[in-house]
Amino acid sequence: MEEMVEVKRSNVSAPSMSLNDLFLKSPYVSHFMNTPLASPVMKALENMQGRYLEEVDLFTKLDPQDDWLPITESRKGNVYYAAFHVLSSGIGFQALLLPFAFISLGWIWGIICLCAVFLWQLYTLWLLIQLHESDSGVRHSRYLKLAMATFGEKLGKLLALFPIMYLSGGTCVTLIMIGGGTMKIFFQLMCGDSCTLKPLTTIECYLVFTGAAILLAQLPNLDSIAWVSFIGTITAISYCFIIWIVSIVQGKVSYISYESHSEANNIFNVWNSLGIIAFAFRGHNLVLEIQGTIRSDATRQPSRFAMWKGVVYAYLVIALCLFPLAIGGYWAYGNLLPSNGGMLSALYKYHKHDTPKFIMIMTSLLVVINSLSSFQIYAMPVFDNLESRYTSMKNRPCPRSLRIVLRVFFGCLAFFISIALPFLPSLAGLIGGIALPITLAYPCFMWIVIKKPKKYSTDWCLNWMLGIVGMILSVLVVIGAIWVIVELGIKIHFFHPE
């Protein structure tokens, strides 16, 4: 066949239909069967049916609900779309916190840990991409579905549902804070000190940002936001390069130090720093969803080939953004790096008056646009989960009006949480620890359960080791993050965003 056709499973299965069911019940065909041409024609039809059924077995099997849900209702993705989505979800505000992890780890261990986690999560990405299509032909286009297929329905939900929804929903809340807060700075820079207009409050900036995000969220599915991810990719790359280049050009700030804050609590600070690094490479909860937008031919061009190529392209760019940002940021600011906001806050704090105004304005605008773009891809699993509940109960697509209501509801809920809990960005290490198994541990266990490598083989030992170490590291990171929060403290203030 020239092009792959994805066959949806339904109550009527193609292989169960016989020639008698298709042809012989028709009165016209019954009359034709009494003619001399009947025998050779029926023989040809039987041969065609045999070839058809052989090809159907090679087709990808899809859940019939996939045509109704926003992640998989369109499968027009390609290598470039995949790269844009991965970049949009892989580069963002979390990268601006990377230099803060070096304060506890130091130069050598900071670079070693950053390289190790980068390679580790790239390997687990490869595992997930290979597991997207099972040997039976079923496509796991959602991380949660793969977890349930691997560990069982109840255990899979228990292990994966909360971290996935926490990553998606929590990231959207944090993006409102980052985007809204940066929008306030943008307005201040544009207006200037002599402006007579009343400046927007922080809550009003959050509201403007949320309104724009909800409006953009009305795009129907994941495939339709490819251009949004492209814009998000360009803006993220741009502001990453601007921030670290300006920091390097301006040089080290005065009274800089590279010493750890506290030697007595250094081990807990190290664990918290590892959580920050792990959080910087979030996005594994979206890779299967992104791959689900790519068509798949089980015999000629499985989706894993295009998806892996897109991931390789994306992570080459991610490495070029994150490594200079982490190393250059730590060199420029050392221990003086602000814990809340990271490199962006440092840029405004130390270089606001000695950097051209248009660069500050451009950087702020790029951060706002990138936050709006990232909001869309991280909100998509939440939209998909909400709509899947409706389609499961009603066995029909979600009406357009209800889809709008659900997306407006989620946007308003995220806005409320951003106001009620304005200290969430200070919990980057804790969030990284909770999400760490999704990135570093679960894919290894999934590979062992599904692929069943030979016991004590290199493949078997490697994945068991990485999976166990990933789970232990997750516990240590959570403990370290909680200890740092208790020891250093954070400004916990409800309903009072600054």
Side-chain angles (χ1 to χ4, degrees), residues 10 132 292 389 399 411 413 454:
S10 61
H132 177 87
R389 298 179 183 276
L413 179 62
K454 186 177 180 181

Side-chain angles (χ1 to χ4, degrees), residues 313-391:
Y313 293 158
Y315 270 84
L316 285 174
V317 178
I318 289 174
L320 292 175
C321 291
L322 266 56
F323 280 83
L325 198 65
I327 298 171
Y330 183 57
W331 176 85
Y333 304 110
N335 280 354
L336 299 178
L337 187 79
S339 60
N340 191 2
M343 290 284 285
L344 188 61
S345 296
L347 186 68
Y348 294 133
K349 182 177 180 180
Y350 299 113
H351 304 303
K352 181 178 180 180
H353 300 293
D354 55 6
T355 301
K357 186 177 179 180
F358 80 91
I359 292 181
M360 304 294 292
I361 292 174
M362 181 61 68
T363 303
S364 302
L365 182 60
L366 290 171
V367 171
V368 173
I369 295 174
N370 175 256
S371 298
L372 280 173
S373 303
S374 298
F375 185 96
Q376 307 310 314
I377 193 167
Y378 274 95
M380 199 58 71
V382 180
F383 299 154
D384 189 87
N385 188 52
L386 291 173
E387 292 187 28
S388 68
R389 298 179 183 276
Y390 176 87
T391 58

